[in-house]
Amino acid sequence: MADDLSDTLKKLKITAVDRTEDSLEGCLDCLLQALAQNNTETSEKIQGSGILQLFASLLTPQSSCTAKVANIIAEVAKNEFMRIPCVDAGLISPLVQLLNSKDQEVLLQTGRALGNICYDSHSLQAQLINMGVIPTLVKLLGIHCQNAALTEMCLVAFGNLAELESSKEQFASTNIAEELVKLFKKQIEHDKREMIFEVLAPLAENDAIKLQLVEAGLVECLLEIVQQKVDSDKEDDIAELKTGSDLMVLLLLGDESMQKLFEGGKGSVFQRVLSWIPSNNHQLQLAGALAIANFARNDGNCIHMVDNGIVEKLMDLLDRHVEDGNVTVQHAALSALRNLAIPVINKAKMLSAGVTEAVLKFLKSEMPPVQFKLLGTLRMLIDAQAEAAEQLGKNVKLVERLVEWCEAKDHAGVMGESNRLLSALIRHSKSKDVIKTIVQSGGIKHLVTMATSEHVIMQNEALVALALIAALELGTAEKDLESAKLVQILHRLLADERSAPEIKYNSMVLICAVMGSESLHKEVQDLAFLDVVSKLRHHENKSVAQQACLTEQRLTVES
């Protein structure tokens, strides 16, 4: 076998130069046979023989041997060690040229060869994109959609290329959406549909392509799949239901595609998605709640949905998942409620519908994603709603849980949201009882720490809440403010040139407010605040400069 192969390779070198088609074809057949018997060993021999360099000249549209040469390249490139030698032999460019061939076998083997050479290499795939293979392949898919092998080759190529961000723009400028949806409608086999799904998912991450897919009728196909598979307990059908409903939710992440499907709340797609929420299928409940969360990305949609009873549907769904419920469904339903609570006009309606009570049932959850959304929903609901903020702020169980979560160092999102809700309860209620509850639960130190956050918005929220504490309940909070080193932190914030103007302003307001406490006043005096504050009298921000003058007067009078 080894001797035969060596002879074949020698003969091939000669015939490749002579271009005697018959003997060339015979050599190529022998090579393909050898590759079929032992691919790795034959590939090593091919590499050692230097024959790869000759292949570039054999890849011509005119030759009857072109498909076989491309097939050999495809076979050897299955081996990782052969891919760079194929590139070094200059095979990519002639292969790309062959994608314009009319011969279906040449196209198939060329596609395989390029796919195998560039497999798992982002840099080589990016090179193919730059050489314009995407529009060529999309065109091929349209022309040869009856050829199953060629279609599959195109889909594999799309699946690999679509992972690259640089490909999305090129795909968006072709009619890929139309071609894929057309192909999808014809497929009845699960495996083939699965292949198309694998291309659709990365492509649908691009907003322009999302809209094209919606316009090409993909949503209707997905809804049909859901309808067909919802009651099946076959593994393939369950997988397809999940993929189809997940893709549907992904299409709703684009603003234009989402609005197109919402159709002012009258759209058949929107109505169908609503019907998923009361379903008994967890996957559909999840997709329905996520879809609502996506539809709820602008105020108009949110107001329409709340007026049309969506809140009750979501509360019923949450109710079904309180005890040992499905975490992903809990998370999705809370996400939807949080988004719906953003428009001012919706807050009072949602509060009177009992949303806070429904949400508080999940206080015992140990799942950070659920905790995070629960906190965000409550924070949205009490924004500028004094009565609701007071009611929640006096709820000892809630406040104690918030204080506990403020220490969730492993979950920055939960920690941040807990701090923000603590601050919001004070800012929106302006209630002494709320402040007392927070002091008794040990929340003050967290608000002081929050004032040092790297996020200006959080620093600011903390300082405003602390100023209200100092104005309304300084005596109650005094010891905690002292042990949390509030005065030193304020000194640091004012001295730091990087502090935002509003941080400097609110820090000075707070300094004036804590002067009513003897122990805190003494700390202010000991830290020579006058030097720092007097420098701010000439600050470029007028409010900061004015507050600096007022603070300086106060410090001077009370020194």
Side-chain angles (χ1 to χ4, degrees):
M1 157 78 190
D3 291 344
D4 288 353
L5 182 56
S6 300
D7 289 346
T8 300
L9 289 168
K10 279 177 196 160
K11 195 173 173 190
L12 185 55
K13 273 189 175 176
I14 298 161
T15 50
V17 177
D18 294 349
R19 295 296 172 100
T20 324
E21 294 275 320
D22 289 347
S23 49
L24 184 58
E25 205 155 336
C27 293
L28 295 171
D29 285 336
C30 290
L31 263 191
L32 281 167
Q33 216 173 335
L35 283 163
Q37 285 166 358
N38 189 332
N39 191 312
T40 311
E41 196 183 315
T42 307
S43 296
E44 283 169 349
K45 285 263 170 57
I46 289 173
Q47 188 189 2
S49 70
I51 203 89
L52 275 181
Q53 278 70 14
L54 291 173
F55 281 174
S57 64
L58 296 176
L59 291 168
T60 59
Q62 297 78 25
S63 168
S64 58
C65 300
T66 301
K68 284 179 181 170
V69 176
N71 190 356
I72 290 168
I73 297 168
E75 288 302 313
V76 299
K78 284 178 179 175
N79 303 289
E80 198 178 336
F81 69 87
M82 287 300 288
R83 289 172 195 154
I84 296 302
C86 283
V87 175
D88 293 344
L91 299 180
I92 286 187
S93 192
L95 283 167
V96 168
Q97 294 301 314
L98 286 175
L99 289 175
N100 296 304
S101 170
K102 302 265 187 296
D103 184 317
Q104 296 191 19
E105 184 60 21
V106 169
L107 287 170
L108 178 63
Q109 300 306 341
T110 299
R112 285 184 62 235
L114 283 169
N116 290 349
I117 293 171
C118 300
Y119 179 74
D120 224 14
S121 163
H122 283 346
S123 60
L124 289 177
Q125 288 167 359
Q127 193 179 324
L128 289 185
I129 292 167
N130 291 336
M131 292 169 87
V133 300
I134 288 173
T136 310
L137 287 171
V138 174
K139 207 182 295 173
L140 287 182
L141 182 66
I143 297 168
H144 301 291
C145 56
Q146 303 306 322
N147 182 326
L150 259 182
T151 299
E152 199 165 311
M153 180 274 286
C154 287
L155 289 174
V156 170
F158 294 150
N160 289 327
L161 297 174
E163 296 293 338
L164 270 74
E165 208 40 56
S166 59
S167 73
K168 305 283 203 296
E169 216 167 293
Q170 273 203 31
F171 274 119
S173 65
T174 69
N175 62 338
I176 182 81
E178 209 178 304
E179 294 296 351
L180 288 175
V181 173
K182 209 189 302 174
L183 196 61
F184 193 81
K185 283 177 179 168
K186 287 193 298 196
Q187 294 306 332
I188 39 178
E189 289 172 55
H190 171 75
D191 293 350
K192 295 282 193 299
R193 278 182 168 183
E194 204 58 39
M195 278 190 86
I196 302 172
F197 271 139
E198 279 171 20
V199 179
L200 287 169
L203 285 180
E205 286 167 10
N206 175 278
D207 282 358
I209 300 174
K210 277 188 186 82
L211 186 59
Q212 290 170 10
L213 289 168
V214 167
E215 287 172 342
L218 179 61
V219 172
E220 287 70 17
C221 299
L222 298 176
L223 290 172
E224 206 173 305
I225 284 177
V226 168
Q227 205 167 348
Q228 287 167 3
K229 313 290 180 187
V230 67
D231 297 320
S232 170
D233 48 13
K234 282 193 206 152
E235 213 171 298
D236 281 357
D237 289 347
I238 293 168
E240 212 164 306
L241 176 75
K242 178 174 172 18
T243 312
S245 52
D246 283 350
L247 186 53
M248 175 84 192
V249 171
L250 185 57
L251 291 175
L252 292 173
L253 276 171
D255 288 339
E256 279 188 83
S257 50
M258 179 267 286
Q259 278 306 87
K260 193 172 178 65
L261 295 171
F262 189 67
E263 289 181 64
K266 305 279 188 289
S268 60
V269 173
F270 172 64
Q271 295 302 328
R272 189 82 71 89
V273 163
L274 277 185
S275 72
W276 293 355
I277 292 175
S279 143
N280 289 320
N281 183 302
H282 279 186
Q283 175 56 35
L284 276 197
Q285 292 171 358
L286 170 66
L290 286 173
I292 296 302
N294 285 342
F295 280 126
R297 287 208 321 279
N298 74 39
D299 285 5
N301 293 4
C302 288
I303 293 163
H304 180 280
M305 286 192 277
V306 168
D307 286 346
N308 284 276
I310 188 66
V311 170
E312 289 70 17
K313 284 187 170 70
L314 289 167
M315 280 163 54
D316 288 346
L317 177 60
L318 274 176
D319 235 22
R320 293 162 71 182
H321 289 276
V322 175
E323 299 303 327
D324 311 318
N326 182 306
V327 172
T328 52
V329 175
Q330 292 172 359
H331 178 260
L334 289 167
S335 296
L337 286 171
R338 180 201 172 279
N339 288 1
L340 289 166
I342 293 172
V344 177
I345 195 170
N346 281 356
K347 296 181 197 295
K349 291 175 187 172
M350 290 175 72
L351 288 165
S352 61
V355 173
T356 44
E357 293 76 4
V359 170
L360 285 171
K361 288 177 187 171
F362 295 90
L363 256 190
K364 54 182 187 255
S365 171
E366 292 304 327
M367 305 306 290
V370 174
Q371 296 167 354
F372 181 72
K373 287 298 175 187
L374 173 153
L375 292 163
T377 307
L378 291 176
R379 188 164 63 80
M380 285 304 155
L381 281 169
I382 63 163
D383 191 2
Q385 305 296 311
E387 200 180 318
E390 181 160 13
Q391 209 178 341
L392 280 178
K394 290 192 292 193
N395 179 331
V396 178
K397 265 190 185 158
L398 169 66
V399 174
E400 284 176 349
R401 195 69 161 133
L402 290 184
V403 170
E404 188 188 322
W405 286 340
C406 282
E407 288 165 10
K409 295 198 168 35
D410 294 342
H411 302 286
V414 172
M415 197 164 86
E417 275 294 340
S418 307
N419 278 299
R420 292 190 78 182
L421 183 53
L422 262 190
S423 152
L425 291 169
I426 296 168
R427 289 183 295 110
H428 298 304
S429 70
K430 299 182 176 58
S431 152
K432 291 185 170 201
D433 289 340
V434 170
I435 293 169
K436 283 176 187 162
T437 308
I438 289 173
V439 172
Q440 281 155 11
S441 305
I444 295 296
K445 63 180 179 188
H446 296 299
L447 290 170
V448 174
T449 305
M450 183 181 168
T452 64
S453 163
E454 58 195 30
H455 305 290
V456 173
I457 192 164
M458 284 177 67
Q459 280 187 291
N460 218 24
E461 287 170 358
L463 291 169
V464 172
L466 289 164
L468 282 165
I469 292 168
L472 297 171
E473 275 298 319
L474 186 55
T476 313
E478 182 179 39
K479 281 195 175 64
D480 288 358
L481 292 171
E482 204 176 331
S483 60
K485 305 212 169 5
L486 172 68
V487 175
Q488 288 95 312
I489 284 169
L490 292 174
H491 189 276
R492 215 164 58 227
L493 290 174
L494 287 171
D496 189 346
E497 287 177 9
R498 292 165 303 176
S499 294
E502 58 268 42
I503 302 304
K504 290 189 186 295
Y505 177 86
N506 283 322
S507 297
M508 288 187 282
V509 169
L510 188 47
I511 282 298
C512 295
V514 299
M515 303 272 273
S517 148
E518 205 173 309
S519 55
L520 294 171
H521 187 174
K522 186 176 183 314
E523 281 190 44
V524 171
Q525 285 179 315
D526 292 348
L527 272 174
F529 265 84
L530 262 174
D531 301 348
V532 186
V533 171
S534 58
K535 283 179 190 160
L536 295 173
R537 280 187 310 153
H538 307 293
H539 196 276
E540 58 189 3
N541 182 295
K542 275 189 185 152
S543 302
V544 173
Q546 283 172 342
Q547 188 56 43
C549 294
L550 292 172
T551 308
E552 188 179 33
Q553 284 168 13
R554 182 85 190 267
L555 289 167
T556 311
V557 169
E558 302 202 13
S559 62

